[in-house]
Amino acid sequence: MDISWQEVFGLTVSPVELVIRGTVVYLFLIFVFRTVLQRDIGAVGVADILLLVIIADASQNAMAGEHKSVTDGLILVSTILGWNVLFDYLSFRFPRIRKILQPPVLRLVCDGKILHRNLRREFITEDELWAKLRENGIDKLEDVHSATMESDGTISVVKREGGPENGKPPKNHRPL
């Protein structure tokens, strides 16, 4: 069994082409995931899931040895990781960029009233909303001060203080 070290570690594609391909695919997928598919992700961020999927695909050919060298795969994975770290840093450092890269929060219930337009916007059924309300110990809509879909796709619920009879929002609550 002869091992060709050139096939294992040699480049089969220009490093510049690998960086460009990785960049184009990453930017396209991050755009699609952050603008179209921003819900149903749960507590794990969209960028985290995207990163795992792309890295798995990018490294698969290098690991299997089908037609890419290990070096090709490492450059492609490094490019994808680099873009992910850069976007995370930019969103942390610059609020304007954060607004572009992270979807805004969306109020679903306000003062005990369901905002049907916002439910339709995110394709959330009333049954799904009620499931989240029940998870938070709420069985009557009047007990909800607000329910909000967060930028990571989770739904947070703020109960009314003292129940619906006093109608006050909870202490230390800041409106959206």
Side-chain angles (χ1 to χ4, degrees), residues 2 30 32 34 67 75 77 91-92 97 120 160:
D2 262 346
I30 200 79
V32 168
R34 295 223 171 140
H67 64 277
I75 290 172
V77 168
S91 356
F92 173 75
I97 292 176
R120 280 191 304 272
R160 288 186 190 259

Side-chain angles (χ1 to χ4, degrees), residues 108-123:
L108 304 174
V109 177
C110 182
D111 293 324
K113 294 185 179 97
I114 295 177
L115 303 175
H116 292 281
R117 180 178 181 196
N118 290 350
L119 289 180
R120 280 191 304 272
R121 179 176 162 202
E122 294 301 322
F123 304 113

Side-chain angles (χ1 to χ4, degrees), residues 30-175:
I30 200 79
F31 171 77
V32 168
F33 276 86
R34 295 223 171 140
T35 59
V36 178
L37 303 172
Q38 57 180 289
R39 87 177 199 87
D40 288 335
I41 299 301
V44 178
V46 171
D48 299 328
I49 292 172
L50 175 64
L51 183 67
L52 291 173
V53 169
I54 291 176
I55 287 177
D57 187 53
S59 59
Q60 181 268 333
N61 285 331
M63 289 188 299
E66 291 176 8
H67 64 277
K68 301 276 189 215
S69 73
V70 171
T71 307
D72 290 346
L74 293 177
I75 290 172
L76 191 51
V77 168
S78 298
T79 299
I80 293 165
L81 285 171
W83 277 108
N84 193 62
V85 169
L86 178 65
F87 280 166
D88 285 347
Y89 170 76
L90 292 174
S91 356
F92 173 75
R93 182 75 176 87
F94 302 103
R96 284 186 174 175
I97 292 176
R98 186 179 318 125
K99 287 181 182 180
I100 294 169
L101 295 178
Q102 294 179 354
V105 297
L106 182 67
R107 180 142 324 156
L108 304 174
V109 177
C110 182
D111 293 324
K113 294 185 179 97
I114 295 177
L115 303 175
H116 292 281
R117 180 178 181 196
N118 290 350
L119 289 180
R120 280 191 304 272
R121 179 176 162 202
E122 294 301 322
F123 304 113
I124 298 173
T125 66
E126 279 193 47
D127 290 338
E128 290 173 317
L129 176 63
W130 274 107
K132 290 298 179 182
L133 294 176
R134 286 189 300 274
E135 284 177 12
N136 285 277
I138 293 177
D139 59 357
K140 294 183 294 200
L141 207 51
E142 301 85 48
D143 294 342
V144 180
H145 174 66
S146 68
T148 306
M149 188 170 83
E150 304 296 339
S151 62
D152 66 356
T154 60
I155 295 176
S156 60
V157 179
V158 178
K159 298 177 186 179
R160 288 186 190 259
E161 186 177 289
E165 61 278 350
N166 83 14
K168 292 182 186 174
K171 290 180 185 174
N172 301 326
H173 180 265
R174 43 177 202 146

